[in-house]
Amino acid sequence: MAQGARRTIAQVVAVVALAVAVTAFLSVAAVRHGFFDLKVYYGALTFWVHDGGEIYDFLKGGTQYGFTYPPFAALVMLPMAYLPWAAAITVSVAATVVVSAVVIWWLLDPVARRAGWTRWFVLAVALCLAAAYEPMRETVNFGQVNMLLLFLVAVDLLRLLPARSRWAGVGIGLATAIKLTPGIFIIYLLVTGRWRAAFTAIGAAAAATLVAAALFPDASREFWTEALWNTDRVGELAFVSNQSLRGVVARLHPEHPSTVAWLALVLATLIVWCWRSRAAVAAGDEATGLALTGATMCLVSPVTWVHHLVWLLPGLILLVDNGMAAPARSLRRRLLLAGALVGYALLISRIVWAWEKDFTGVDGFLGSNTYVWISLALLLALPIRRWATPTGGGPAEPGGPAGSAVEPGGVAQLPEPDRVPPAVQRHRVGGLLPVR
């Protein structure tokens, strides 16, 4: 049997074994939520379309939970009201799986190409590991839209923006119109000086919102004047699932959490984020900009449930990326890969739930906020890949000599076609064009 065939068989066996192991792990570790959030969406849309009620008046029976997204999200989800419940579940799960595979592939493919790994094998292993990742499995089990929003943002930052497409910003705008928190990526475009993409995102969000307002004026009026400000609809801030800075402060004093302390932490976080994001964009490292902004969004949002932490996936993957780019057996490689492993292990472990009932004391403060510490670590320590200009003064050739600079205190990074600055992209596509 040829060596290539033996290698393929071994990889297939490894993937099957990993899939079985992950399935066994999920049978023990995964909590079944019965598509709770999807039931809220489905019930609200059914109440709105078929029963003649207002969508924001709907509350799931026995709970305080109702539809909390802007009217444009209701427009996007509207076909769900005409589907059987089983079909709605199928569409939700299938959509999450497909967009997750695409985003993970965009981030991992450069690593596989550089390391010489079999690309289908890398994707299959990554998808198995992603299935065990608590925020991902919670997103699926709740029927949430997190990965769909991450996909829309990634289309802009990983594909359209590096290609200088006139459509860059549309994905971020639509994500913001569906759920307000991705609006931080509009601020990201502004603070990093991509004015055209920022205004495109603002225009797309405004257009989508106005279309929804024209079609559903009553629902729009209720959302923007009442539902948006009703914090009782989203749950208890001190609940251990709230892995944001607001959650940290609330767990310190659940009855009277300090708004001043929270705002001070948010301000400090935003200052660090602006500084690091500008450095990432100056280096042409848009993927790291995505990861830093996703982590910051989780930190500064008043409510970041565990399933929202799918936004940390890019950061964990980029730790692996930078670790594999470092020289073999170097301290840098060991530290980065260990960081990715520890972060991933904690984020599949449900460790924060050990303090669900009692988060007092030092152990409660440290343990109940574990995922917050991971978000902060990514914001502060995720490496930025810096690109150097060769001694001729022109942009680096993707196939030429090493064209990357060293991270301060680190090692030279190898160039990757999917993560080169716009000038290098233009050079690669055909002919050296002037930088504008």
Side-chain angles (χ1 to χ4, degrees):
M1 183 181 297
Q3 182 178 357
R6 287 198 297 271
R7 181 184 181 187
T8 299
I9 292 174
Q11 289 173 335
V12 170
V13 171
V15 169
V16 171
L18 179 60
V20 171
V22 169
T23 301
F25 171 77
L26 292 177
S27 69
V28 176
V31 175
R32 305 296 188 270
H33 298 292
F35 300 98
F36 182 92
D37 289 355
L38 189 65
K39 284 180 180 176
V40 173
Y41 309 152
Y42 191 83
L45 289 164
T46 300
F47 178 69
W48 188 35
V49 173
H50 300 297
D51 298 337
E54 284 296 338
I55 190 168
Y56 295 108
D57 292 339
F58 173 83
L59 292 178
K60 188 178 184 300
T63 76
Q64 78 273 32
Y65 296 109
F67 195 84
T68 59
Y69 295 163
F72 181 69
L75 176 60
V76 173
M77 297 181 188
L78 192 59
M80 190 190 304
Y82 301 94
L83 294 177
W85 172 237
I89 295 175
T90 301
V91 170
S92 173
V93 173
T96 296
V97 170
V98 170
V99 298
S100 299
V102 172
V103 171
I104 290 171
W105 178 244
W106 284 344
L107 292 165
L108 270 182
D109 185 48
V111 190
R113 286 188 287 107
R114 185 180 59 241
W117 295 336
T118 305
R119 294 159 80 184
W120 72 262
F121 177 67
V122 170
L123 179 61
V125 169
L127 290 178
C128 289
L129 295 177
Y133 183 64
E134 185 180 356
M136 182 71 77
R137 66 187 193 235
E138 293 279 285
T139 287
V140 173
N141 283 330
F142 273 115
Q144 264 283 345
V145 299
N146 306 304
M147 284 306 301
L148 299 174
L149 301 177
L150 176 53
F151 170 75
L152 287 174
V153 172
V155 168
D156 272 346
L157 298 189
L158 302 183
R159 283 297 183 264
L160 298 182
L161 203 58
R164 291 183 173 263
S165 169
R166 70 180 64 184
W167 297 103
V170 170
I172 291 172
L174 293 178
T176 303
I178 292 171
K179 187 175 182 178
L180 298 181
T181 48
I184 192 173
F185 285 93
I186 297 178
I187 303 174
Y188 166 73
L189 294 174
L190 291 171
V191 300
T192 55
R194 271 76 64 78
W195 306 106
R196 177 172 177 171
F199 290 129
T200 299
I202 293 170
T209 300
L210 289 174
V211 167
L215 293 173
F216 317 123
D218 292 338
S220 295
R221 187 181 309 108
E222 184 171 356
F223 175 79
W224 294 108
T225 60
E226 296 182 30
L228 175 60
W229 313 104
N230 184 359
T231 56
D232 292 337
R233 298 166 66 93
V234 298
E236 175 59 43
L237 291 176
F239 184 42
V240 74
S241 182
N242 185 12
Q243 291 293 303
S244 69
L245 293 172
R246 184 65 160 164
V248 173
V249 173
R251 281 186 286 277
L252 287 174
H253 200 317
E255 293 79 16
H256 302 288
S258 172
T259 300
V260 173
W262 172 59
L263 291 177
L265 290 171
V266 167
L267 179 60
T269 300
L270 291 175
I271 290 172
V272 173
W273 165 67
C274 288
W275 166 57
R276 299 216 72 213
S277 294
R278 287 175 63 86
V281 170
D285 195 351
E286 205 71 67
T288 297
L290 165 64
L292 293 172
T293 307
T296 300
M297 182 179 71
C298 293
L299 289 167
V300 303
S301 174
V303 175
T304 297
W305 302 134
V306 168
H307 57 78
H308 295 149
L309 296 174
V310 295
W311 290 93
L312 300 186
L313 261 181
L316 294 176
I317 292 173
L318 290 175
L319 283 178
V320 176
D321 185 347
N322 283 277
M324 293 306 301
R329 296 184 297 278
S330 68
L331 177 61
R332 177 183 175 85
R333 172 176 282 201
R334 290 196 296 270
L335 288 175
L336 290 173
L337 294 182
L341 179 61
V342 170
Y344 173 77
L346 290 172
L347 281 162
I348 71 171
S349 68
R350 286 184 54 83
I351 186 171
V352 299
W353 298 98
W355 290 272
E356 179 181 4
K357 302 299 184 183
D358 181 9
F359 37 74
T360 58
V362 174
D363 66 310
F365 175 72
L366 296 175
S368 69
N369 300 309
T370 298
Y371 301 164
V372 179
W373 311 143
I374 295 174
S375 298
L376 283 170
L378 289 172
L379 174 62
L380 294 170
L382 186 64
I384 293 171
R385 183 155 305 172
R386 303 189 182 280
W387 297 89
T389 301
T391 306
E397 286 278 356
S404 59
V406 295
E407 181 80 6
V411 298
Q413 304 293 313
L414 300 178
E416 304 169 47
D418 284 347
R419 293 184 60 188
V420 298
V424 179
Q425 289 277 5
R426 293 195 297 278
H427 186 72
R428 177 168 63 91
V429 170
L432 182 60
L433 299 180
V435 179
R436 297 174 182 169

